[in-house]
Amino acid sequence: MPPEAALPPLRTALMPEAWRRPALQLALGWAVLLLLTWADWSEMARQWWDASTYNHILLVPPIIAWLVQQRWPELSKLAPQPWWPGLVLLAGGLLGWLAGSVLGINTFSQLGAVVLLQAAVAVLLGPRVVAGLLFPLAYMFFLVPFGDEIVPALQAITAEMAVALTHASGVPAVIDGVFIDTPVGLFEVAEACSGVKFLVAMVALGTLVAHLCFASWKRRALFMAAAVVVPVLANGVRAWGTIYIAQSQGVEFAAGIDHIVYGWIFFAVVMAMVLGVSWRFFDRSPDDALIDAAALEASPLLARLAMDRPARVP
């Protein structure tokens, strides 16, 4: 058998004929949209790199690429098609981006920049492909730095938990907002101690794990609840531990321990604890396909959205 008969051309193996033109159009469309919203993407990238709260977002783009790659064997069986109703989503993204830019609200303009990329997929590839890529497309929202808005609330929760545990451990303390007065000194639950960076990272990780490891929506919801609640509770315990150690070992010693623990070590411990407890409840096999191309093709809802024409009867 001649070699060219044994192996298909590399181009055909990687990209089916039906996908070549739409994929090129999508690449060009994304390039134009990225240029249009370049200032927002530059600002987001700066925050990913410089702000410790958002360092975890550096992992989101490769995760999205991996999620798409996992779906590709089934996704490549679909035939992309232009979908003009997707222009409504494109207009919504453009409106949000413009509003955020004019009002100087970064979160709005950055969300709009992400929605524009998502909308381009809908316009150029159609509803069936969007359905197949629904989770990776939704996961793109984690590219937007968020969390600073809830810092004051997290500071208050952490302070209340810390003072309650301090009282329970027999140490007198008086709370005034985010300040806790104890016999050895005054402690402040500062913004850096609110636990926001671990909470937002845990929500991003929890969403990925819930999607990949659970089939039951009830179990996914319970796991996500744990991914939100456990880091908040753990941060309150950490703050109390710092105060409690300071009573016997001194404030400087306690602060030194806190700086060691209060880093990614803390996040790793909390993450391992949540995953360890949840492991036995995972109900999705790693071998299960993430999407089913045949089911997407046969879906009456997607057929209506795609405005498929009924086959002619000869």
Side-chain angles (χ1 to χ4, degrees):
M1 179 182 295
E4 60 272 15
L7 295 174
L10 181 60
R11 185 177 63 176
T12 303
L14 293 178
M15 185 70 66
E17 181 69 33
W19 273 85
R20 291 179 198 167
R21 184 171 180 177
L24 178 59
Q25 291 172 337
L26 181 63
L28 293 174
W30 272 28
V32 171
L33 292 172
L34 287 171
L35 286 173
L36 177 67
T37 58
W38 184 252
D40 293 285
W41 286 104
S42 297
E43 175 59 20
M44 282 192 280
R46 185 193 65 77
Q47 292 184 70
W48 304 344
W49 187 262
D50 293 339
S52 61
T53 302
Y54 305 123
N55 287 159
H56 69 280
I57 302 182
L58 292 168
L59 298 175
V60 172
I63 287 173
I64 293 171
W66 177 78
L67 288 168
V68 173
Q69 185 268 332
Q70 293 296 303
R71 287 162 168 74
W72 180 244
E74 288 294 304
L75 206 61
S76 61
K77 299 175 184 177
L78 300 174
Q81 62 183 89
W83 191 55
W84 305 119
L87 290 172
V88 176
L89 182 60
L90 191 71
L94 187 60
L95 210 64
W97 173 72
L98 285 172
S101 300
V102 171
L103 297 174
I105 304 175
N106 286 344
T107 302
F108 284 2
S109 61
Q110 291 166 3
L111 274 172
V114 170
V115 171
L116 284 172
L117 297 188
Q118 296 167 324
V121 176
V123 171
L124 296 171
L125 303 185
R128 287 190 176 88
V129 174
V130 168
L133 290 173
L134 194 58
F135 184 81
L137 288 172
Y139 205 74
M140 289 176 68
F141 284 120
F142 285 113
L143 293 169
V144 179
F146 68 91
D148 286 343
E149 304 81 3
I150 61 174
V151 166
L154 289 175
Q155 285 178 277
I157 292 171
T158 300
E160 291 290 347
M161 287 182 58
V163 78
L165 291 171
T166 300
H167 289 158
S169 60
V171 177
V174 177
I175 186 172
D176 181 13
V178 296
F179 295 95
I180 301 173
D181 194 7
T182 72
V184 299
L186 183 67
F187 294 84
E188 178 189 5
V189 180
E191 292 183 5
C193 302
S194 65
V196 65
K197 65 181 178 180
F198 302 116
L199 178 59
V200 296
M202 193 66 183
V203 169
L205 173 66
T207 302
L208 180 65
V209 172
H211 172 69
L212 294 175
C213 299
F214 294 98
S216 163
W217 282 100
K218 181 179 179 181
R219 294 190 182 192
R220 285 175 174 170
L222 290 173
F223 179 80
M224 286 306 302
V228 172
V229 173
V230 172
V232 175
L233 295 179
N235 193 56
V237 173
R238 181 205 59 79
W240 161 76
T242 301
I243 296 172
Y244 186 75
I245 292 172
Q247 307 307 307
S248 58
Q249 304 298 323
V251 175
E252 291 186 3
F253 178 83
I257 293 295
D258 188 50
H259 288 154
I260 294 173
V261 173
Y262 192 65
W264 291 110
I265 294 176
F266 172 76
F267 177 67
V269 170
V270 173
M271 178 180 67
M273 180 173 63
V274 173
L275 292 177
V277 172
S278 305
W279 188 280
R280 64 189 297 266
F281 298 104
F282 289 175
D283 60 353
R284 183 185 173 278
S285 170
D287 297 327
D288 292 346
L290 292 169
I291 62 170
D292 183 351
L296 294 177
E297 286 285 2
S299 169
L301 174 60
L302 293 176
R304 286 196 297 271
L305 287 175
M307 296 176 287
D308 289 345
R309 295 179 181 177
R312 292 183 179 181
V313 178

